[in-house]
Amino acid sequence: MDAFDALSQIPDWSYWRDWYQGFLDGKPRDWELQRRVALIADSIWEEGPEAVAREIERIKAEWLAEQLPQADKVRFDHESGLFETTSIPLKAEKLVETTLKQVAFARSVAANSNCGFNSSSTAWLYIDHTLENCRDDPNAIEQNFDIARKDILDGLANQTYSEDAKLAALEQVLDRAVTDLRANHPEVAEPLETRMKYQLRVAKADQKQIIVEKATELITVASDKMGKELALDAKTIIETSGEVQGGAIRRFFGRIAQMRIITRASDVIKKIDASSGYKGTRIVQTLDSLIDLITKIWPG
């Protein structure tokens, strides 16, 4: 066994094993996910592999939640010790208009900052082009705003832009705009779902079976309604195709990501310990396993 094989057996190194194997197979992990891992703060790297592994799990959960945001929101009821969902009403026909107005306003605010963001900036140019020429093209809006957001993040990282609350607000508005369009506008969501359905079709049988097995464990910490939907969605994902599978993918994977983000809170883990047949640490491991599987088969 060489040094890499030995390290791959250590849980804290699982991301790096998969990252390396992805390059060997010619199927690297999603570039945005890799970028976020690369930008982990030096203070966390200095704490050691365990701290880095925890931060990577947090990054993966948040990244996945952004890829498949929901028409409902997962919350944790501290009285019952169970996860449940609440609806988020959003009409697709108003989404583009609202999105453009929010971004235009946020850009006008950021324009009055002294952070290096101006009419010559890449992000500004993409936003300007979108507002002037792409108002009737949801896919172009999503793609252009995503590029603008990444330019802001990269500029902050390489100090092309300086830290500024107004620029941070614009980045957040762009992030929300891209997330909402991917989740709720059919013209934007359909290509993403098509790629995801293909990846599931070619996934190994044991990978698909994990989805059902892990979903069964999560039912113990879900409300009756949410538990039934988790089981149904998991079964639908591995047994069907087409639009039915697409809807199940969006809801199940998105809820898993939200649940993992919520379980970062220690009080949630303690309540699960007190209320469930499973320990909170077991639930976290289950969520991590599912997120790890999902990010491995995610269409790059």
Side-chain angles (χ1 to χ4, degrees), residues 55-111:
E55 181 66 5
I56 288 174
E57 292 305 323
R58 182 193 69 78
I59 289 170
K60 288 198 295 185
E62 291 189 346
W63 174 83
L64 180 59
E66 293 170 10
Q67 307 311 304
L68 285 171
Q70 301 291 283
D72 56 27
K73 182 177 182 179
V74 175
R75 62 180 293 272
F76 185 76
D77 184 352
H78 282 79
E79 290 189 12
S80 66
L82 299 174
F83 290 91
E84 57 186 31
T85 58
T86 54
S87 297
I88 304 175
L90 183 61
K91 294 183 178 180
E93 61 268 22
K94 293 289 185 181
L95 181 58
V96 170
E97 178 184 351
T98 301
T99 294
L100 293 172
K101 286 181 178 179
Q102 289 174 340
V103 171
F105 174 75
R107 187 187 66 165
S108 70
V109 172

Side-chain angles (χ1 to χ4, degrees), residues 158-172:
N158 62 32
Q159 298 184 329
T160 300
Y161 305 129
S162 56
E163 295 287 344
D164 183 272
K166 294 175 182 177
L167 185 62
L170 173 59
E171 186 275 322
Q172 291 171 14

Side-chain angles (χ1 to χ4, degrees), residues 108-124:
S108 70
V109 172
N112 294 318
S113 66
N114 294 312
C115 62
F117 177 73
N118 54 52
S119 59
S120 298
S121 303
T122 298
W124 180 294

Side-chain angles (χ1 to χ4, degrees), residues 267-287:
D267 59 334
V268 171
I269 298 300
K270 291 177 182 177
K271 188 63 181 181
I272 292 175
D273 287 343
S275 307
S276 169
Y278 282 95
K279 290 291 186 180
T281 51
R282 173 72 177 274
I283 295 301
V284 169
Q285 290 170 354
T286 295
L287 290 167

